[in-house]
Amino acid sequence: MSPSRTDIAPAGEGPDRVVPSRAVNDGQRFERMLRVVIAAASLGMLAILLFPAYYATPDEAKYIGLGLNVLDGRGLVTVFGVPFPNHSPLWPLALALPQRLVGVDGLAVGHLLNAIAAAAVVALTGVLGWRVRPAAGALAAVVMLAFPFLASNARTAGLDLPSTALTLAFLVVALRAIDRGSTPLALASGVLFGLGFLVKETALPFFPVPFLVALLVATDLVRLARLAAAAVATAAVTVSWWFVIDANMEGTVYRLGTPAWTLAPITVGLVILVGLGWNAGWVARRTAGARARVHVPAWFAANWRAIVAWGGLAAWSLGQLLVYSRTAKLAGQSLFRVSQWASDVHSYLPHLALLVGFGIGGCLFALALLRRSQGVRELAFASVAGVPLVLLVLAIGETPRHYLTNLALIAALASAGWLHGLERARGDRRWAVAVVALVAIGVVVALRTP
């Protein structure tokens, strides 16, 4: 007889009392152990504080100088007096304020913040994996802890790790808000996204992911619309001041490149969008009659959630590609330059080899869970939404630090995939052969680690 979730208490303890079965207790102890693994891995990343920071790169020195100039009333200009509107002044001020107020070296402050951000990235990657299954969360955290590229970036004062940590925090909190139907959590997720965007706009690709992927399950649409509206509202308010400042400085909308006056209709559009989402219940009631008269094919009625979710993801990804293809950084070159991609792979694969080797097989095995696991779908949606950014980074020859969020998602997704593949391999020879083959490929790739 298989163990039940609970066993009836022994005689004398009351007819209505139940006690956890041994199977339940073992499972709870196992999950507590996995939580300890994630916590230990996250704290382990803080050990990077025991190592000295790398010498300041020109970028890091520039951020400290920018922050000091802002504090001195000179505006967002470098030490050479050149305007630098590429990013908001949030990170430069985070480095410069402690130096100005209490005399702490800005580079040391950046090192501390990056080590904390790295620990947060390990923990949050574990949380995202945990949404698939606890063991996947623990494995993902350990993989990130062992990832040399993450540790290397933690010894700098750059802005990529803090932006990654805030982006992953946005995803975790937004998904949790949808799970609970919590408006306060949705509001908080918008703030986290806004802060991540202000540190570095690489957070942008991931904003719609929690709300699109929620359509694949029986989430109440009115509630989902209100939660999305709450997140959009706080995100927009959080970043608004920087868009206004940049429009005045550059005469264009930040990163979009349209004339500054288009900020007004964009704002109006956002207000309308938030208003409709927040009042989704009223809108649904007022339009019920009209919607009832609309005839849709039976196949669409049965699959509309998947069509809207996957179609929305495709539209969002293609829209990013269109905008990125027009960026000035490409200098008129194509976004899809195979020769440039090959050069980037040659230059940067050794630094990513451990995670790439782990991710190849794991992500393939995770595809088998796509229809059955909402957690896997969440990670897959986020990964796809981030692909255009990766392509842009490759096309302009920048380093992988710009897509650390994507790498964390791969770690979580691949962890779930490997666990599933190993379990299937125990009873299926074909899966066993696939596991052996992909482990061999992964080891070959991982050995390229410098």
Coordinates of all heavy atoms in Angstrom, one line a residue, residues 12-61:
G12 N -6.3 7.2 21.3 CA -6.1 8.0 22.5 C -5.7 9.4 22.2 O -5.6 10.3 23.1
E13 N -5.5 9.7 20.9 CA -5.1 11.1 20.6 C -6.2 11.9 19.9 O -6.0 12.9 19.4 CB -3.9 11.1 19.6 CG -2.6 10.5 20.2 CD -1.4 10.7 19.4 OE1 -1.5 11.4 18.3 OE2 -0.3 10.2 19.7
G14 N -7.4 11.2 19.9 CA -8.6 12.0 19.4 C -8.9 11.5 18.0 O -8.0 11.3 17.2
P15 N -10.2 11.3 17.7 CA -10.6 10.7 16.4 C -10.4 11.7 15.3 O -10.3 11.3 14.1 CB -12.1 10.4 16.6 CG -12.5 11.4 17.7 CD -11.3 11.5 18.6
D16 N -10.3 13.0 15.5 CA -10.2 13.9 14.4 C -8.7 14.4 14.2 O -8.5 15.2 13.2 CB -11.0 15.2 14.7 CG -12.5 14.8 14.8 OD1 -12.9 13.9 14.0 OD2 -13.2 15.4 15.6
R17 N -7.8 14.0 15.0 CA -6.5 14.5 14.8 C -5.7 13.6 13.8 O -5.8 12.4 13.8 CB -5.7 14.4 16.2 CG -4.3 15.0 16.1 CD -3.7 14.9 17.4 NE -2.3 15.4 17.3 CZ -1.4 15.3 18.3 NH1 -1.8 14.9 19.5 NH2 -0.2 15.7 18.2
V18 N -4.9 14.3 12.9 CA -4.1 13.6 12.0 C -2.7 14.0 12.2 O -2.4 15.1 12.6 CB -4.5 13.9 10.5 CG1 -5.9 13.3 10.2 CG2 -4.5 15.3 10.2
V19 N -1.7 13.1 11.9 CA -0.3 13.5 12.0 C 0.3 13.2 10.6 O -0.1 12.3 9.9 CB 0.4 12.6 13.1 CG1 -0.2 12.9 14.4 CG2 0.3 11.1 12.7
P20 N 1.3 14.0 10.3 CA 2.0 13.7 9.0 C 2.5 12.3 8.9 O 3.1 11.8 9.8 CB 3.1 14.8 8.9 CG 2.7 15.8 10.0 CD 1.9 15.1 11.0
S21 N 2.4 11.8 7.7 CA 3.0 10.4 7.5 C 4.5 10.6 7.3 O 5.1 11.7 7.2 CB 2.5 9.8 6.2 OG 2.9 10.6 5.1
R22 N 5.2 9.4 7.4 CA 6.7 9.5 7.2 C 7.1 10.0 5.9 O 8.0 10.8 5.8 CB 7.2 8.0 7.4 CG 8.7 8.0 7.2 CD 9.2 6.6 7.5 NE 10.7 6.5 7.3 CZ 11.4 5.4 7.5 NH1 10.8 4.3 7.8 NH2 12.7 5.5 7.3
A23 N 6.3 9.7 4.8 CA 6.6 10.2 3.5 C 6.5 11.7 3.5 O 7.4 12.4 2.9 CB 5.7 9.6 2.5
V24 N 5.5 12.3 4.1 CA 5.4 13.7 4.2 C 6.5 14.4 5.0 O 7.1 15.4 4.5 CB 4.0 14.1 4.8 CG1 3.9 15.6 5.0 CG2 2.9 13.7 3.9
N25 N 6.8 13.8 6.1 CA 7.9 14.3 6.9 C 9.3 14.3 6.2 O 10.0 15.2 6.2 CB 8.1 13.5 8.2 CG 7.0 14.0 9.3 OD1 6.6 15.1 9.3 ND2 6.6 13.0 10.1
D26 N 9.5 13.2 5.4 CA 10.7 13.0 4.7 C 10.8 14.1 3.6 O 11.8 14.7 3.3 CB 10.8 11.6 4.0 CG 11.1 10.6 5.1 OD1 11.5 10.9 6.2 OD2 11.0 9.4 4.8
G27 N 9.6 14.3 2.9 CA 9.6 15.3 1.9 C 9.8 16.7 2.4 O 10.5 17.5 1.8
Q28 N 9.2 17.0 3.6 CA 9.4 18.3 4.2 C 10.9 18.5 4.6 O 11.4 19.6 4.4 CB 8.5 18.5 5.4 CG 7.0 18.6 5.0 CD 6.1 18.6 6.2 OE1 6.5 18.2 7.3 NE2 4.9 19.0 6.0
R29 N 11.5 17.5 5.1 CA 12.9 17.6 5.5 C 13.8 17.8 4.2 O 14.7 18.6 4.2 CB 13.4 16.4 6.2 CG 13.0 16.4 7.7 CD 13.7 15.3 8.5 NE 13.4 13.9 8.0 CZ 12.4 13.2 8.5 NH1 11.6 13.7 9.5 NH2 12.1 12.0 8.1
F30 N 13.4 17.1 3.2 CA 14.2 17.2 1.9 C 14.1 18.7 1.4 O 15.1 19.3 0.9 CB 13.7 16.2 0.9 CG 14.4 16.3 -0.4 CD1 15.7 15.9 -0.6 CD2 13.7 16.7 -1.6 CE1 16.3 16.0 -1.8 CE2 14.3 16.8 -2.8 CZ 15.6 16.4 -2.9
E31 N 12.9 19.2 1.4 CA 12.7 20.6 0.9 C 13.4 21.6 1.8 O 14.0 22.6 1.3 CB 11.2 20.9 0.8 CG 10.5 20.1 -0.4 CD 9.3 20.8 -0.8 OE1 9.0 21.9 -0.4 OE2 8.5 20.2 -1.6
R32 N 13.4 21.4 3.1 CA 14.1 22.3 3.9 C 15.6 22.2 3.6 O 16.3 23.2 3.6 CB 13.9 21.9 5.4 CG 12.5 22.4 5.9 CD 12.5 22.4 7.5 NE 12.7 21.0 8.0 CZ 11.7 20.2 8.2 NH1 10.4 20.6 8.0 NH2 11.9 19.0 8.7
M33 N 16.1 21.0 3.3 CA 17.5 20.9 3.0 C 17.8 21.6 1.7 O 18.9 22.3 1.6 CB 17.8 19.4 2.8 CG 19.3 19.1 2.4 SD 19.6 17.4 2.1 CE 18.8 17.3 0.5
L34 N 16.9 21.5 0.7 CA 17.2 22.3 -0.5 C 17.1 23.8 -0.3 O 17.9 24.5 -1.0 CB 16.1 21.8 -1.6 CG 16.2 20.4 -2.0 CD1 15.1 20.1 -3.1 CD2 17.6 20.0 -2.6
R35 N 16.3 24.2 0.6 CA 16.3 25.7 0.9 C 17.6 26.1 1.5 O 18.2 27.2 1.2 CB 15.2 26.0 1.8 CG 13.8 25.9 1.2 CD 12.7 26.5 2.2 NE 11.4 26.3 1.6 CZ 10.5 25.4 2.0 NH1 10.9 24.5 2.9 NH2 9.3 25.3 1.5
V36 N 18.2 25.2 2.3 CA 19.5 25.5 2.9 C 20.6 25.5 1.8 O 21.5 26.4 1.9 CB 19.8 24.4 4.0 CG1 21.3 24.6 4.4 CG2 18.9 24.6 5.2
V37 N 20.4 24.7 0.8 CA 21.4 24.7 -0.3 C 21.4 26.0 -1.0 O 22.4 26.6 -1.3 CB 21.1 23.5 -1.2 CG1 22.0 23.6 -2.5 CG2 21.4 22.2 -0.6
I38 N 20.2 26.5 -1.3 CA 20.1 27.8 -2.0 C 20.6 28.9 -1.1 O 21.4 29.8 -1.6 CB 18.6 28.0 -2.4 CG1 18.1 27.0 -3.4 CG2 18.4 29.4 -2.9 CD1 16.7 27.1 -3.8
A39 N 20.3 28.9 0.1 CA 20.8 30.0 1.0 C 22.3 29.9 1.1 O 23.0 30.9 1.1 CB 20.1 29.8 2.4
A40 N 22.8 28.7 1.3 CA 24.3 28.6 1.4 C 25.0 29.0 0.1 O 26.0 29.6 0.2 CB 24.6 27.1 1.7
A41 N 24.4 28.6 -1.0 CA 25.0 29.0 -2.3 C 25.0 30.6 -2.4 O 26.0 31.2 -2.9 CB 24.3 28.4 -3.5
S42 N 23.9 31.2 -2.0 CA 23.8 32.6 -2.1 C 24.8 33.3 -1.2 O 25.5 34.2 -1.6 CB 22.4 33.1 -1.8 OG 21.4 32.4 -2.6
L43 N 24.9 32.8 0.0 CA 25.9 33.4 1.0 C 27.3 33.1 0.5 O 28.2 33.9 0.7 CB 25.6 32.8 2.4 CG 24.3 33.3 3.1 CD1 24.1 32.5 4.4 CD2 24.3 34.8 3.3
G44 N 27.5 32.0 -0.1 CA 28.8 31.6 -0.6 C 29.3 32.7 -1.6 O 30.5 33.0 -1.7
M45 N 28.4 33.2 -2.4 CA 28.8 34.2 -3.4 C 29.3 35.5 -2.7 O 30.1 36.2 -3.2 CB 27.6 34.5 -4.3 CG 28.0 35.5 -5.5 SD 29.4 34.9 -6.5 CE 28.7 33.5 -7.4
L46 N 28.8 35.7 -1.5 CA 29.2 36.9 -0.8 C 30.7 36.8 -0.3 O 31.3 37.8 0.0 CB 28.3 37.1 0.5 CG 27.0 37.8 0.2 CD1 26.2 37.8 1.5 CD2 27.1 39.2 -0.3
A47 N 31.2 35.6 -0.4 CA 32.6 35.4 -0.1 C 33.5 36.2 -1.0 O 34.7 36.4 -0.7 CB 33.0 33.9 -0.1
I48 N 33.0 36.6 -2.1 CA 33.7 37.4 -3.1 C 34.2 38.7 -2.4 O 35.2 39.3 -2.9 CB 32.9 37.7 -4.3 CG1 33.8 38.0 -5.5 CG2 31.9 38.9 -4.1 CD1 34.4 36.8 -6.1
L49 N 33.6 39.1 -1.3 CA 34.0 40.3 -0.6 C 35.4 40.1 0.0 O 36.1 41.1 0.4 CB 33.0 40.7 0.5 CG 31.7 41.2 0.0 CD1 30.7 41.4 1.1 CD2 31.9 42.5 -0.7
L50 N 35.8 38.8 0.2 CA 37.1 38.6 0.8 C 38.2 38.9 -0.2 O 39.4 39.0 0.2 CB 37.2 37.1 1.2 CG 36.2 36.7 2.3 CD1 36.3 35.2 2.6 CD2 36.4 37.5 3.6
F51 N 37.9 38.9 -1.5 CA 38.9 39.2 -2.5 C 38.8 40.7 -2.9 O 37.8 41.3 -2.9 CB 38.6 38.4 -3.8 CG 38.6 36.9 -3.5 CD1 37.4 36.2 -3.2 CD2 39.8 36.2 -3.6 CE1 37.4 34.9 -3.0 CE2 39.8 34.8 -3.4 CZ 38.6 34.2 -3.0
P52 N 40.0 41.2 -3.2 CA 40.0 42.6 -3.6 C 39.3 42.8 -5.0 O 39.3 41.9 -5.8 CB 41.5 43.0 -3.8 CG 42.1 41.7 -4.0 CD 41.3 40.6 -3.3
A53 N 38.7 44.0 -5.1 CA 38.0 44.3 -6.4 C 39.1 44.4 -7.5 O 40.3 44.7 -7.2 CB 37.3 45.6 -6.3
Y54 N 38.7 44.2 -8.7 CA 39.6 44.4 -9.8 C 39.9 45.9 -9.9 O 39.2 46.8 -9.4 CB 39.0 44.0 -11.2 CG 38.8 42.5 -11.3 CD1 37.6 41.9 -11.7 CD2 39.9 41.6 -11.0 CE1 37.4 40.5 -11.8 CE2 39.7 40.2 -11.1 CZ 38.5 39.7 -11.5 OH 38.4 38.3 -11.6
Y55 N 41.0 46.3 -10.6 CA 41.3 47.7 -10.9 C 40.1 48.3 -11.6 O 39.5 47.6 -12.5 CB 42.6 47.9 -11.6 CG 43.8 47.5 -10.8 CD1 44.6 46.4 -11.2 CD2 44.2 48.3 -9.8 CE1 45.7 46.1 -10.4 CE2 45.3 48.0 -9.0 CZ 46.1 46.9 -9.4 OH 47.2 46.6 -8.6
A56 N 39.8 49.5 -11.4 CA 38.7 50.2 -12.0 C 38.9 50.2 -13.5 O 39.9 50.6 -14.0 CB 38.5 51.6 -11.4
T57 N 37.9 49.8 -14.2 CA 37.9 50.0 -15.7 C 37.5 51.4 -16.0 O 37.0 52.1 -15.1 CB 36.9 49.0 -16.3 OG1 35.6 49.4 -15.9 CG2 37.1 47.6 -15.9
P58 N 37.7 51.8 -17.2 CA 37.3 53.2 -17.6 C 35.8 53.4 -17.4 O 35.4 54.5 -16.9 CB 37.6 53.2 -19.1 CG 38.8 52.3 -19.3 CD 38.5 51.2 -18.3
D59 N 35.0 52.4 -17.6 CA 33.5 52.6 -17.3 C 33.2 52.8 -15.9 O 32.5 53.7 -15.5 CB 32.8 51.3 -17.8 CG 32.4 51.3 -19.2 OD1 32.6 52.4 -19.9 OD2 31.9 50.3 -19.7
E60 N 33.9 52.1 -15.0 CA 33.6 52.3 -13.5 C 34.1 53.6 -13.0 O 33.4 54.3 -12.3 CB 34.2 51.1 -12.8 CG 33.6 49.8 -13.0 CD 34.5 48.6 -12.7 OE1 35.7 48.8 -12.3 OE2 34.1 47.5 -12.9
A61 N 35.3 54.0 -13.5 CA 35.8 55.3 -13.1 C 34.9 56.4 -13.7 O 34.6 57.4 -13.0 CB 37.2 55.5 -13.6

